[in-house]
Amino acid sequence: LEQVQIGMTQRQVRFLLGEPVLKDPFQGDRRWDYVYYLKPGDGPAVHRRVIILFDGGLVSGIEDSGPRQ
């Protein structure tokens, strides 16, 4: 996620983060949602949601909820 930058193409984002978990049918290819859940064996579960916004096929914004327990 740290490598994703404003101005990158959708192809570059897909290479770094993989396919998005959710694609908003109303936003088309303008918003990709990535949802992460990690539950280590002896630790608390960590949730994280990242939204990548596109304009003209290029990253125009990144919204990151940050790790939450």
Side-chain angles (χ1 to χ4, degrees):
L1 180 60
E2 293 173 1
Q3 295 178 7
V4 177
Q5 300 175 12
I6 303 295
M8 284 185 147
T9 66
Q10 291 177 336
R11 187 175 188 180
Q12 290 171 314
V13 173
R14 191 177 290 116
F15 176 79
L16 291 172
L17 301 180
E19 282 293 320
V21 175
L22 302 170
K23 283 188 183 180
D24 188 336
F26 302 105
Q27 297 279 338
D29 273 346
R30 295 185 52 186
R31 174 182 167 151
W32 290 359
D33 290 59
Y34 292 87
V35 180
Y36 298 95
Y37 175 84
L38 176 65
K39 173 67 171 103
D42 60 347
V46 176
H47 302 266
R48 189 172 190 174
R49 182 175 184 164
V50 177
I51 299 170
I52 309 293
L53 303 170
F54 295 93
D55 187 16
L58 301 176
V59 175
S60 62
I62 302 167
E63 299 175 14
D64 184 2
S65 70
R68 295 177 297 157
Q69 295 185 2

